[in-house]
Amino acid sequence: MADKTKLEAFNAYDFDSNDDWKSHLRNVELPAGSAASAALQKVKAKWYKKNVDSDFDPAWIASSHSSTATGGSAAYSSQQQQQQQHSSSTTSRPPPSTSWRGASSQAGSRQALSKQLNLAILQAGVLLLALLYLQPLNRGVSAWAYKRLAMTLVILQGYKVYGANGGPAAWNTAAITAWAQRVLVTSDAHYLILAVAAYVNPPVTLLLVPYIVLAAYGLADFVSQQYGSHPIWQRYGAPLHQKMLAYYQKALQFNAQSEIMLGFQLIVGLLFPGRAPLLLMAVWQVLRLRFWSVDAAVHHRMVSDRRAELAVLAVPCFYSLWQCSLCMKHALTG
């Protein structure tokens, strides 16, 4: 039996203002046509149960829709009569209490803010550790920062994956397989795989590019939402944030280019000392997944349309970069 109070709370919930929901929706592929609305409601119900009200049953949505559909025109006429009776009695009857709705909304808002704050802290840590790794003055600091950076990336991406998808419904082979099939089409899972590969392999600077770009965008979005009315942000941060948003699609395409270039760099790296065959296999496996991902395929396929140009330029380009890295290494070591 559906809980009317919880159904009303679900219908009143402001999904459009929740960043976690919007991030989750980007990783969901909805069917086209008339079935899209019903599919969206099912996705909303499952997300709402996981992130807002664990006692909510998504089956209530289907039952409420079916009961509405079978009611037909007879129910419509009775509803009109009830509305007329309700309108005539509203002057003598106090309005119903809506304190439950406010409490549910506030609890959801606090939970969403807590998740956003945790993500912002991790993203700020990624940017700070990336700066320490890229600084050219102290190699010891760079090595120390890279390991901490890779560990932070694993935590960040794991937090994103769990926050958007939860865990398996049960700890058996069938449930874990179903969960993995659902999760492995998302960008967060792809970046989690690469983060683990970065942690267990020697440093590769090009691998960090997508993480740095996405962390910068995520942190800027958080500050804009929480401190958008602050005079300092309005004067200095808001114009930069607007430019970042204007170039968001180009930034995603830049990430796709860096990921494909990383794959070619690791292939060329097999010819030289310091090769990383395990990282090479992980990167190309992730690239295969990226080409079939809902939110990444368009950018990767756009880059792959210029594959002939990449094939011509990749080898001499990466050979030059390798030579430059050797020169810098000899200069720093004296």
Side-chain angles (χ1 to χ4, degrees):
M1 193 69 182
D3 189 321
K4 184 178 178 181
T5 299
K6 290 186 177 293
L7 270 176
E8 290 179 352
F10 169 80
N11 293 327
Y13 189 77
D14 189 3
F15 286 89
D16 293 334
S17 65
N18 191 296
D19 289 333
D20 288 343
W21 159 249
K22 290 187 286 187
S23 175
H24 175 66
L25 186 60
R26 295 191 196 103
N27 297 322
V28 176
E29 185 175 6
L30 297 174
S34 58
S37 178
L40 179 61
Q41 284 296 102
K42 291 180 180 178
V43 174
K44 281 185 175 181
K46 292 179 180 179
W47 181 91
Y48 184 84
K49 175 179 175 62
K50 184 184 301 179
N51 295 275
V52 179
D53 186 356
S54 60
D55 295 329
F56 184 79
D57 188 355
W60 295 341
I61 300 298
S63 63
S64 65
H65 281 297
S66 61
S67 62
T68 302
T70 55
S73 58
Y76 175 74
S77 60
S78 64
Q79 287 176 1
Q80 282 187 322
Q81 295 176 359
Q82 292 175 0
Q83 288 176 356
Q84 291 176 357
Q85 295 174 359
H86 174 75
S87 60
S88 62
S89 61
T90 50
T91 54
S92 59
R93 184 173 59 190
S97 173
T98 58
S99 59
W100 56 268
R101 182 176 300 176
S104 176
S105 177
Q106 290 176 2
S109 299
R110 286 195 298 268
Q111 186 178 15
L113 179 59
S114 176
K115 290 183 178 180
Q116 293 172 13
L117 180 60
N118 292 337
L119 286 175
I121 292 172
L122 289 170
Q123 288 162 346
V126 167
L127 296 177
L128 177 60
L129 290 170
L131 287 175
L132 292 175
Y133 165 69
L134 294 172
Q135 57 83 27
L137 303 178
N138 191 315
R139 295 178 60 193
V141 172
S142 293
W144 176 89
Y146 187 87
K147 272 298 180 185
R148 272 73 183 172
L149 174 57
M151 185 184 300
T152 305
L153 292 176
V154 172
I155 297 172
L156 172 61
Q157 294 306 132
Y159 187 81
K160 285 184 176 181
V161 169
Y162 185 79
N165 303 280
W171 292 104
N172 55 58
T173 304
I176 294 174
T177 301
W179 177 82
Q181 290 176 347
R182 185 177 74 252
V183 169
L184 284 177
V185 299
T186 65
S187 288
D188 290 335
H190 303 162
Y191 287 130
L192 175 59
I193 296 172
L194 290 181
V196 173
Y199 183 75
V200 300
N201 282 278
V204 179
T205 302
L206 193 57
L207 178 61
L208 303 177
V209 170
Y211 297 103
I212 295 173
V213 172
L214 294 177
Y217 271 95
L219 186 60
D221 288 342
F222 174 80
V223 176
S224 176
Q225 291 172 10
Q226 301 300 323
Y227 305 101
S229 60
H230 196 282
I232 296 179
W233 174 258
Q234 290 181 347
R235 182 173 181 180
Y236 300 103
L240 177 60
H241 187 226
Q242 290 301 318
K243 290 183 179 179
M244 290 175 65
L245 293 178
Y247 284 93
Y248 181 65
Q249 293 300 322
K250 291 185 177 180
L252 294 180
Q253 187 174 346
F254 175 72
N255 281 354
Q257 290 175 341
S258 67
E259 291 164 15
I260 294 175
M261 289 176 66
L262 173 63
F264 283 111
Q265 177 185 357
L266 293 173
I267 291 176
V268 176
L270 293 176
L271 305 175
F272 307 103
R275 61 184 66 88
L278 295 179
L279 180 59
L280 172 66
M281 290 188 291
V283 167
W284 279 100
Q285 179 64 22
V286 168
L287 282 176
R288 187 182 70 84
L289 295 173
R290 301 288 281 162
F291 271 83
W292 297 104
S293 172
V294 175
D295 55 347
V298 59
H299 303 290
H300 284 73
R301 292 177 182 178
M302 189 181 302
V303 174
S304 69
D305 288 340
R306 300 197 299 268
R307 56 186 176 274
E309 178 184 350
L310 287 171
V312 171
L313 297 178
V315 174
C317 175
F318 287 124
Y319 180 75
S320 299
L321 289 174
W322 179 72
Q323 292 288 349
C324 290
S325 66
L326 286 182
C327 293
M328 290 182 63
K329 178 180 179 180
H330 291 313
L332 291 173
T333 55

